[in-house]
Amino acid sequence: MFQRINQSPKLKWSLVLLGTIITVFILFYFSIYFGVFGKIPSTQDLKDLKQNQATQVLSSDGDLIGKYYIFDRQPVTSNNIPKHLINALVATEDVRFYEHNGIDSRSLLRVFFKSLLLQDSSSGGGSTLTLQLAKNLYGRKDFGYFGIAINKFQESIIAKRLEEIYDKEEILTLYLNTVPFSDNTFGIESAAMKFFNKNTANLTLTESAVLIGMLKANHSYNPRIFPEKSRFRRDVVFQQMEKYGYLTKDEMQRAKQSETILDYQYYSHDQGLAPYFREQLRKDIIAILDTLKNKDGEGFNIYRDGLIIHTTLNSKMQEYAEESVQSHMSKLQQVHEQSYGTRAPWFTNKALILDAVKHTNDYKKLNKQGLSDKEILAKLDENPRERELFDYGMEKMVKASTLDSIKHYLKFLNAGFLAVEPSTGAVKAWVGGVDFGSFKYDHVSQSKRQVGSTFKPIVYTAALENGIAPCSYFSVREVTYQDGWTPSNSGSNGEDPDMNYNMKYALSNSVNTIAVKVLMETGVGNVISQAEKMGIESKLPRVPSIALGTAEISLKELAKAYTGFANKGRSSEPYYITRIEDGKGNLLAEFKPQTQNKTAYSETTREIMIEIMKATVNEGTATRLRSTYGLNNDIAGKTGTTQSNKDGWFVGLTPKLLAVTWVGADDHRIGFRNTGIGQGANSALPIFALFLQKINADPDFTDISNAKFGNPSEEVVSLMDCEPSKEDGFFDKLFGKSKKNKDRKKDEKKKKGFLNKLFGKNKKDQ
């Protein structure tokens, strides 16, 4: 035989070549095995498998409202995986799964020879589920020329070890918990929740086939984007199941006739329920986790450790709040734009537009290149392209330049809405803006704006606490204070300046001149002290104008200040995290309500303020809650509008729920065109009204809808037993009083002349 080999050079060289190839193959394999191209996970490593898991956010009613993840993955155990899902997977991806030991030798050799030697990139295929699991667990690295072969050999070694450690059922479970699906979703449980809003255990045959069909090409067979392609691939899965005996022909035909009904859940940061809340929660959780360690002394990671965050948020209330904001703001936006017409500041105010441009990355890049502002504006107005622009559920692709886009977003009003349980401060709904994808700024947690007349209840509370009786009367007449400031009343034309009103009428009708007089009689310092006792932490200016809400306060602070009115005078800090658990349910941190130990004011003051704010709803500036929206709940409230109609506010208080609403433009230089549109009763109150209508219609919230404040004490009834107004008779007796409105201006001149002679003429009246 050896003689024959020596006599045949062809045979000799063929054998040498074969031996060389085998030797190279063996050396190549063992170089991979011993880690020349990177460490191969040991048997112990594979026993201790730990995959990154998404952190879940749960509402108080148990709904999954969001996740934090790098890869959206949520594990499931084998006993929660339906048999038809396993059958669909095996029939479609690895029909010999139960027969092999994790490696298809023929496929592996084909890859080696065709990929490495012949450079045929189409040689893939034939991969087993165990090999795919190895790839899912450790991914693939770029080794350049030898990449495919090295990765395949590494995966084969890992697959072999996996088969030695785990049984077939465990491998299938590991595979389904790690395999990637469409929309950056990893694992069958996360995919089931995202596409069908149900757990894996409850998936139907059709739903299982849709998900298994995705595995061939995640994007191409995404049922959300390509429903027809997804259906085609789903039917292929049914055919495979019939081919390998998992379905009868009749069962396959019936399955093909079924419809795929998605119930898609957005768990991305920009979409889904409560995006503003989830973003603030993310920041808070990261800060909390920095203070916690696991049993090994290591920190926790919000994106990988599969934590469970329990919150106070109620998913239904949150849904109702978002719907109410969208419903009202879409209509208000139309009115806002129509009121300005073609002279709107987002079209004509060059300084405003330039300031908005300067905040963009495009401006900063061009500015670094040495371009002037004029040149940058011209540049940004060039080359319009197709863009998707936000427009209240009617997002559309339009051809627009960068400058067009900036102007488009400048025009939008925004909103903030916070609903809390007054007795505990538990946040039930949180809407930080009209669209998180377009406007990231959170008006609940980040914004401080002038609060307008919603500050007046704090002024009146301070007055009562400092001995001013609720039946004290104050003149509506305008007065000039320091620095020439003369507050006036909205819609005061024809108002009798000699009229005096009690505190109930003055606050419920938001009389500005009286609010300032009440503050001045109480003392600015006493009012500020009272505000601090009620939970206001922002610095308040020591000026008379704070009576009209010129101080800038956050929405959360205002909510805290009002909670005491429904909580025995004790303010409750808004909070929204109750527990943090690890993936197994072990408690890592727990949070309790933070309610003030001391009352901020007396029970008598509290009852008086509730009665006054109920009058705001029943007969004052918030009567449209009754007349327009038909709400019959026990409601106390206060409207608020700031100077030049920049901000609209409404605080609505029921015995078991407090809601604060703000509406305005992000840029404070853009106000409402007129008070009719911008007043809090028109701009902010409707959001609360729509929200409460939905609460009333839901039988789950009857305890909130039917709650009553309770009757005031006899003492309070007695203290408030007075007429709402009375006239100042001194000047009437002196000069007489004209009955006709047109003659009252003459009366005013007589009175002013008399006062000037008596006290000297005020230069400011000249």
Side-chain angles (χ1 to χ4, degrees), residues 705-753:
S705 302
N706 297 333
K708 304 294 182 184
F709 280 115
N711 296 322
S713 66
E714 291 183 7
E715 179 191 6
V716 169
V717 172
S718 176
L719 286 170
M720 299 184 72
D721 186 14
C722 54
E723 292 298 318
S725 63
K726 68 176 184 179
E727 292 182 300
D728 186 342
F730 173 76
F731 285 105
D732 292 340
K733 289 176 182 177
L734 193 62
F735 299 108
K737 183 174 181 179
S738 300
K739 293 182 179 180
K740 295 181 180 180
N741 286 337
K742 67 180 181 179
D743 295 325
R744 289 188 180 173
K745 288 185 179 179
K746 295 178 182 178
D747 293 344
E748 280 299 295
K749 287 182 179 178
K750 289 179 184 177
K751 295 167 190 174
K752 186 174 283 188

Short mmCIF file of all heavy atoms in Angstrom, two decimals, residues 705-753:
data_model
loop_
_atom_site.label_atom_id
_atom_site.label_comp_id
_atom_site.label_asym_id
_atom_site.label_seq_id
_atom_site.Cartn_x
_atom_site.Cartn_y
_atom_site.Cartn_z
N SER A 705 -66.26 59.12 43.80
CA SER A 705 -67.37 59.89 43.25
C SER A 705 -68.40 60.28 44.31
O SER A 705 -68.94 61.38 44.28
CB SER A 705 -68.07 59.09 42.14
OG SER A 705 -67.17 58.76 41.11
N ASN A 706 -68.66 59.37 45.25
CA ASN A 706 -69.71 59.60 46.24
C ASN A 706 -69.22 60.22 47.54
O ASN A 706 -70.00 60.46 48.46
CB ASN A 706 -70.41 58.27 46.57
CG ASN A 706 -71.10 57.67 45.35
OD1 ASN A 706 -71.50 58.40 44.44
ND2 ASN A 706 -71.25 56.36 45.32
N ALA A 707 -67.93 60.50 47.64
CA ALA A 707 -67.37 61.02 48.89
C ALA A 707 -67.90 62.43 49.18
O ALA A 707 -68.09 63.24 48.28
CB ALA A 707 -65.85 61.04 48.81
N LYS A 708 -68.16 62.70 50.47
CA LYS A 708 -68.67 64.00 50.91
C LYS A 708 -67.70 64.65 51.89
O LYS A 708 -67.04 63.96 52.67
CB LYS A 708 -70.04 63.84 51.58
CG LYS A 708 -71.09 63.14 50.73
CD LYS A 708 -71.48 63.97 49.51
CE LYS A 708 -72.57 63.27 48.69
NZ LYS A 708 -72.88 64.01 47.45
N PHE A 709 -67.63 65.98 51.86
CA PHE A 709 -66.76 66.68 52.78
C PHE A 709 -67.27 66.66 54.22
O PHE A 709 -66.51 66.79 55.17
CB PHE A 709 -66.60 68.14 52.35
CG PHE A 709 -65.61 68.32 51.23
CD1 PHE A 709 -66.04 68.79 49.99
CD2 PHE A 709 -64.28 68.05 51.41
CE1 PHE A 709 -65.13 68.97 48.96
CE2 PHE A 709 -63.36 68.23 50.38
CZ PHE A 709 -63.79 68.69 49.16
N GLY A 710 -68.55 66.49 54.39
CA GLY A 710 -69.12 66.57 55.74
C GLY A 710 -69.58 67.99 56.02
O GLY A 710 -69.07 68.96 55.45
N ASN A 711 -70.53 68.12 56.90
CA ASN A 711 -71.08 69.43 57.21
C ASN A 711 -70.13 70.21 58.11
O ASN A 711 -69.48 69.64 58.98
CB ASN A 711 -72.44 69.29 57.91
CG ASN A 711 -73.47 68.64 56.99
OD1 ASN A 711 -73.49 68.92 55.78
ND2 ASN A 711 -74.32 67.79 57.55
N PRO A 712 -70.06 71.52 57.91
CA PRO A 712 -69.21 72.34 58.79
C PRO A 712 -69.79 72.38 60.21
O PRO A 712 -70.98 72.17 60.41
CB PRO A 712 -69.25 73.72 58.13
CG PRO A 712 -70.53 73.74 57.36
CD PRO A 712 -70.74 72.33 56.89
N SER A 713 -68.96 72.65 61.16
CA SER A 713 -69.40 72.72 62.56
C SER A 713 -70.33 73.91 62.75
O SER A 713 -70.37 74.84 61.93
CB SER A 713 -68.19 72.85 63.47
OG SER A 713 -67.54 74.10 63.25
N GLU A 714 -71.09 73.91 63.86
CA GLU A 714 -71.99 75.03 64.16
C GLU A 714 -71.20 76.32 64.30
O GLU A 714 -71.67 77.40 63.92
CB GLU A 714 -72.77 74.73 65.44
CG GLU A 714 -73.77 73.60 65.30
CD GLU A 714 -74.57 73.38 66.57
OE1 GLU A 714 -74.42 74.21 67.51
OE2 GLU A 714 -75.34 72.41 66.64
N GLU A 715 -69.99 76.23 64.86
CA GLU A 715 -69.15 77.41 65.01
C GLU A 715 -68.83 78.03 63.66
O GLU A 715 -68.92 79.25 63.48
CB GLU A 715 -67.86 77.04 65.74
CG GLU A 715 -66.91 78.23 65.91
CD GLU A 715 -65.52 77.82 66.38
OE1 GLU A 715 -65.25 76.60 66.46
OE2 GLU A 715 -64.70 78.72 66.64
N VAL A 716 -68.47 77.20 62.69
CA VAL A 716 -68.12 77.68 61.36
C VAL A 716 -69.34 78.28 60.67
O VAL A 716 -69.26 79.33 60.03
CB VAL A 716 -67.50 76.56 60.51
CG1 VAL A 716 -67.38 76.97 59.05
CG2 VAL A 716 -66.13 76.19 61.06
N VAL A 717 -70.48 77.61 60.82
CA VAL A 717 -71.72 78.14 60.23
C VAL A 717 -72.02 79.51 60.79
O VAL A 717 -72.37 80.46 60.06
CB VAL A 717 -72.89 77.17 60.49
CG1 VAL A 717 -74.21 77.81 60.06
CG2 VAL A 717 -72.68 75.86 59.76
N SER A 718 -71.82 79.68 62.09
CA SER A 718 -72.07 80.97 62.74
C SER A 718 -71.08 82.03 62.27
O SER A 718 -71.46 83.17 61.98
CB SER A 718 -71.97 80.80 64.26
OG SER A 718 -72.12 82.03 64.91
N LEU A 719 -69.81 81.66 62.17
CA LEU A 719 -68.78 82.60 61.75
C LEU A 719 -68.99 83.10 60.33
O LEU A 719 -68.59 84.21 59.99
CB LEU A 719 -67.39 81.95 61.86
CG LEU A 719 -66.82 81.76 63.26
CD1 LEU A 719 -65.56 80.90 63.21
CD2 LEU A 719 -66.49 83.12 63.89
N MET A 720 -69.63 82.28 59.50
CA MET A 720 -69.81 82.63 58.09
C MET A 720 -71.21 83.14 57.78
O MET A 720 -71.57 83.34 56.61
CB MET A 720 -69.50 81.41 57.20
CG MET A 720 -68.08 80.90 57.34
SD MET A 720 -67.70 79.54 56.20
CE MET A 720 -67.63 80.43 54.64
N ASP A 721 -71.99 83.40 58.82
CA ASP A 721 -73.38 83.83 58.65
C ASP A 721 -73.44 85.34 58.44
O ASP A 721 -73.61 86.12 59.38
CB ASP A 721 -74.20 83.43 59.87
CG ASP A 721 -75.69 83.72 59.68
OD1 ASP A 721 -76.09 83.97 58.53
OD2 ASP A 721 -76.43 83.72 60.69
N CYS A 722 -73.24 85.76 57.19
CA CYS A 722 -73.30 87.18 56.87
C CYS A 722 -73.59 87.35 55.38
O CYS A 722 -73.39 86.43 54.59
CB CYS A 722 -71.99 87.88 57.24
SG CYS A 722 -70.51 87.13 56.52
N GLU A 723 -74.06 88.52 55.02
CA GLU A 723 -74.34 88.81 53.62
C GLU A 723 -73.02 88.89 52.85
O GLU A 723 -72.00 89.33 53.40
CB GLU A 723 -75.09 90.13 53.49
CG GLU A 723 -76.51 90.10 54.03
CD GLU A 723 -77.38 89.11 53.28
OE1 GLU A 723 -77.28 89.06 52.03
OE2 GLU A 723 -78.14 88.37 53.94
N PRO A 724 -73.03 88.52 51.58
CA PRO A 724 -71.77 88.53 50.82
C PRO A 724 -71.21 89.93 50.58
O PRO A 724 -70.01 90.10 50.41
CB PRO A 724 -72.15 87.86 49.49
CG PRO A 724 -73.62 88.01 49.40
CD PRO A 724 -74.14 87.95 50.80
N SER A 725 -72.08 90.95 50.60
CA SER A 725 -71.60 92.29 50.29
C SER A 725 -72.38 93.34 51.04
O SER A 725 -73.48 93.11 51.53
CB SER A 725 -71.70 92.54 48.78
OG SER A 725 -73.06 92.51 48.38
N LYS A 726 -71.76 94.50 51.15
CA LYS A 726 -72.46 95.67 51.68
C LYS A 726 -71.80 96.91 51.10
O LYS A 726 -70.64 96.89 50.70
CB LYS A 726 -72.43 95.68 53.20
CG LYS A 726 -71.05 95.91 53.82
CD LYS A 726 -71.16 95.99 55.34
CE LYS A 726 -69.79 96.32 55.95
NZ LYS A 726 -69.87 96.42 57.42
N GLU A 727 -72.54 97.97 51.08
CA GLU A 727 -72.02 99.20 50.51
C GLU A 727 -71.38 100.06 51.58
O GLU A 727 -71.75 100.00 52.75
CB GLU A 727 -73.14 99.99 49.82
CG GLU A 727 -73.68 99.31 48.57
CD GLU A 727 -74.74 100.16 47.90
OE1 GLU A 727 -75.76 100.43 48.56
OE2 GLU A 727 -74.55 100.54 46.74
N ASP A 728 -70.41 100.87 51.15
CA ASP A 728 -69.79 101.85 52.04
C ASP A 728 -70.66 103.09 52.03
O ASP A 728 -70.74 103.79 51.02
CB ASP A 728 -68.38 102.17 51.54
CG ASP A 728 -67.62 103.06 52.50
OD1 ASP A 728 -68.27 103.69 53.34
OD2 ASP A 728 -66.38 103.12 52.39
N GLY A 729 -71.37 103.39 53.12
CA GLY A 729 -72.37 104.46 53.12
C GLY A 729 -71.84 105.85 53.36
O GLY A 729 -72.57 106.82 53.23
N PHE A 730 -70.57 106.01 53.72
CA PHE A 730 -70.05 107.32 54.10
C PHE A 730 -70.16 108.34 52.96
O PHE A 730 -70.71 109.41 53.11
CB PHE A 730 -68.59 107.18 54.54
CG PHE A 730 -67.91 108.51 54.79
CD1 PHE A 730 -68.18 109.22 55.96
CD2 PHE A 730 -67.02 109.04 53.87
CE1 PHE A 730 -67.57 110.44 56.19
CE2 PHE A 730 -66.41 110.25 54.10
CZ PHE A 730 -66.68 110.96 55.26
N PHE A 731 -69.64 107.96 51.79
CA PHE A 731 -69.66 108.89 50.66
C PHE A 731 -71.08 109.08 50.12
O PHE A 731 -71.42 110.15 49.62
CB PHE A 731 -68.73 108.39 49.55
CG PHE A 731 -67.28 108.59 49.86
CD1 PHE A 731 -66.48 107.51 50.22
CD2 PHE A 731 -66.72 109.85 49.80
CE1 PHE A 731 -65.16 107.70 50.52
CE2 PHE A 731 -65.38 110.05 50.09
CZ PHE A 731 -64.58 108.96 50.46
N ASP A 732 -71.91 108.02 50.23
CA ASP A 732 -73.29 108.15 49.74
C ASP A 732 -74.05 109.20 50.55
O ASP A 732 -74.82 109.99 50.02
CB ASP A 732 -74.01 106.81 49.83
CG ASP A 732 -73.42 105.80 48.86
OD1 ASP A 732 -72.76 106.24 47.90
OD2 ASP A 732 -73.62 104.58 49.06
N LYS A 733 -73.81 109.17 51.87
CA LYS A 733 -74.48 110.15 52.73
C LYS A 733 -73.96 111.56 52.45
O LYS A 733 -74.69 112.55 52.50
CB LYS A 733 -74.25 109.81 54.19
CG LYS A 733 -75.01 108.57 54.64
CD LYS A 733 -74.68 108.23 56.09
CE LYS A 733 -75.40 106.94 56.53
NZ LYS A 733 -75.04 106.56 57.91
N LEU A 734 -72.65 111.64 52.14
CA LEU A 734 -72.02 112.94 51.93
C LEU A 734 -72.42 113.57 50.61
O LEU A 734 -72.71 114.76 50.52
CB LEU A 734 -70.50 112.78 51.99
CG LEU A 734 -69.66 114.06 52.10
CD1 LEU A 734 -69.98 114.82 53.40
CD2 LEU A 734 -68.19 113.72 52.06
N PHE A 735 -72.42 112.74 49.53
CA PHE A 735 -72.65 113.28 48.19
C PHE A 735 -73.95 112.79 47.54
O PHE A 735 -74.36 113.31 46.52
CB PHE A 735 -71.50 112.89 47.24
CG PHE A 735 -70.17 113.43 47.69
CD1 PHE A 735 -69.20 112.58 48.20
CD2 PHE A 735 -69.89 114.79 47.60
CE1 PHE A 735 -67.98 113.08 48.60
CE2 PHE A 735 -68.66 115.28 48.00
CZ PHE A 735 -67.70 114.43 48.51
N GLY A 736 -74.54 111.71 48.12
CA GLY A 736 -75.66 111.07 47.45
C GLY A 736 -75.15 110.06 46.45
O GLY A 736 -73.97 110.09 46.07
N LYS A 737 -76.01 109.15 46.03
CA LYS A 737 -75.57 108.09 45.11
C LYS A 737 -76.43 108.07 43.86
O LYS A 737 -77.66 108.03 43.94
CB LYS A 737 -75.63 106.73 45.80
CG LYS A 737 -75.12 105.61 44.93
CD LYS A 737 -75.06 104.31 45.67
CE LYS A 737 -74.51 103.22 44.77
NZ LYS A 737 -74.42 101.93 45.46
N SER A 738 -75.78 108.10 42.72
CA SER A 738 -76.50 108.04 41.45
C SER A 738 -77.00 106.63 41.20
O SER A 738 -76.29 105.67 41.45
CB SER A 738 -75.59 108.49 40.30
OG SER A 738 -75.15 109.81 40.51
N LYS A 739 -78.18 106.50 40.69
CA LYS A 739 -78.74 105.17 40.42
C LYS A 739 -78.28 104.63 39.07
O LYS A 739 -78.22 103.43 38.87
CB LYS A 739 -80.27 105.25 40.44
CG LYS A 739 -80.82 105.55 41.83
CD LYS A 739 -82.34 105.57 41.83
CE LYS A 739 -82.88 105.84 43.23
NZ LYS A 739 -84.36 105.86 43.25
N LYS A 740 -77.96 105.52 38.14
CA LYS A 740 -77.57 105.07 36.81
C LYS A 740 -76.05 104.90 36.72
O LYS A 740 -75.30 105.73 37.25
CB LYS A 740 -78.02 106.07 35.75
CG LYS A 740 -79.55 106.17 35.64
CD LYS A 740 -79.94 107.15 34.56
CE LYS A 740 -81.46 107.26 34.43
NZ LYS A 740 -81.86 108.22 33.38
N ASN A 741 -75.62 103.87 36.04
CA ASN A 741 -74.18 103.60 35.90
C ASN A 741 -73.44 104.76 35.24
O ASN A 741 -72.30 105.06 35.59
CB ASN A 741 -73.95 102.33 35.08
CG ASN A 741 -74.28 101.09 35.89
OD1 ASN A 741 -74.27 101.13 37.10
ND2 ASN A 741 -74.57 100.00 35.19
N LYS A 742 -74.12 105.44 34.27
CA LYS A 742 -73.43 106.50 33.53
C LYS A 742 -73.10 107.70 34.41
O LYS A 742 -72.24 108.51 34.09
CB LYS A 742 -74.27 106.93 32.33
CG LYS A 742 -75.58 107.63 32.70
CD LYS A 742 -76.35 108.02 31.44
CE LYS A 742 -77.67 108.73 31.80
NZ LYS A 742 -78.39 109.13 30.59
N ASP A 743 -73.86 107.85 35.54
CA ASP A 743 -73.60 108.99 36.43
C ASP A 743 -72.59 108.66 37.52
O ASP A 743 -72.18 109.55 38.28
CB ASP A 743 -74.91 109.43 37.10
CG ASP A 743 -75.89 109.99 36.06
OD1 ASP A 743 -75.40 110.62 35.10
OD2 ASP A 743 -77.10 109.79 36.23
N ARG A 744 -72.18 107.41 37.63
CA ARG A 744 -71.29 107.03 38.72
C ARG A 744 -69.88 107.57 38.54
O ARG A 744 -69.15 107.75 39.50
CB ARG A 744 -71.25 105.51 38.87
CG ARG A 744 -72.56 104.98 39.44
CD ARG A 744 -72.51 103.52 39.77
NE ARG A 744 -73.80 103.09 40.31
CZ ARG A 744 -74.11 101.84 40.57
NH1 ARG A 744 -73.24 100.89 40.30
NH2 ARG A 744 -75.29 101.54 41.06
N LYS A 745 -69.48 107.84 37.29
CA LYS A 745 -68.16 108.43 37.05
C LYS A 745 -68.09 109.84 37.65
O LYS A 745 -67.06 110.26 38.16
CB LYS A 745 -67.86 108.47 35.55
CG LYS A 745 -67.56 107.11 34.96
CD LYS A 745 -67.14 107.22 33.51
CE LYS A 745 -66.81 105.86 32.94
NZ LYS A 745 -66.42 105.94 31.50
N LYS A 746 -69.22 110.56 37.60
CA LYS A 746 -69.26 111.89 38.21
C LYS A 746 -69.10 111.78 39.72
O LYS A 746 -68.42 112.59 40.35
CB LYS A 746 -70.59 112.57 37.86
CG LYS A 746 -70.77 112.87 36.37
CD LYS A 746 -72.13 113.52 36.12
CE LYS A 746 -72.33 113.78 34.62
NZ LYS A 746 -73.67 114.37 34.36
N ASP A 747 -69.76 110.76 40.29
CA ASP A 747 -69.63 110.53 41.74
C ASP A 747 -68.19 110.28 42.11
O ASP A 747 -67.68 110.79 43.13
CB ASP A 747 -70.48 109.34 42.18
CG ASP A 747 -71.98 109.61 42.02
OD1 ASP A 747 -72.34 110.79 41.87
OD2 ASP A 747 -72.75 108.63 42.05
N GLU A 748 -67.50 109.51 41.27
CA GLU A 748 -66.11 109.17 41.55
C GLU A 748 -65.24 110.42 41.55
O GLU A 748 -64.34 110.57 42.37
CB GLU A 748 -65.58 108.18 40.51
CG GLU A 748 -65.99 106.74 40.77
CD GLU A 748 -65.46 106.27 42.11
OE1 GLU A 748 -64.23 106.18 42.29
OE2 GLU A 748 -66.30 106.01 42.99
N LYS A 749 -65.50 111.33 40.60
CA LYS A 749 -64.72 112.56 40.53
C LYS A 749 -64.94 113.42 41.77
O LYS A 749 -64.01 114.03 42.30
CB LYS A 749 -65.10 113.35 39.27
CG LYS A 749 -64.57 112.74 37.98
CD LYS A 749 -64.94 113.59 36.78
CE LYS A 749 -64.39 112.98 35.49
NZ LYS A 749 -64.78 113.78 34.30
N LYS A 750 -66.17 113.46 42.24
CA LYS A 750 -66.47 114.23 43.45
C LYS A 750 -65.71 113.67 44.64
O LYS A 750 -65.10 114.39 45.43
CB LYS A 750 -67.98 114.18 43.75
CG LYS A 750 -68.84 114.97 42.79
CD LYS A 750 -70.30 114.82 43.19
CE LYS A 750 -71.23 115.51 42.20
NZ LYS A 750 -72.65 115.30 42.57
N LYS A 751 -65.74 112.32 44.76
CA LYS A 751 -65.07 111.68 45.90
C LYS A 751 -63.57 111.88 45.83
O LYS A 751 -62.91 112.15 46.84
CB LYS A 751 -65.41 110.19 45.92
CG LYS A 751 -66.87 109.91 46.18
CD LYS A 751 -67.23 108.46 45.86
CE LYS A 751 -68.74 108.25 45.89
NZ LYS A 751 -69.11 106.89 45.46
N LYS A 752 -63.01 111.76 44.62
CA LYS A 752 -61.56 111.92 44.46
C LYS A 752 -61.15 113.35 44.77
O LYS A 752 -60.13 113.60 45.42
CB LYS A 752 -61.14 111.53 43.05
CG LYS A 752 -59.62 111.53 42.86
CD LYS A 752 -59.24 110.99 41.50
CE LYS A 752 -59.33 109.50 41.47
NZ LYS A 752 -58.77 108.92 40.23
N GLY A 753 -61.98 114.32 44.32
CA GLY A 753 -61.67 115.73 44.60
C GLY A 753 -61.71 116.01 46.09
O GLY A 753 -60.87 116.74 46.62
#
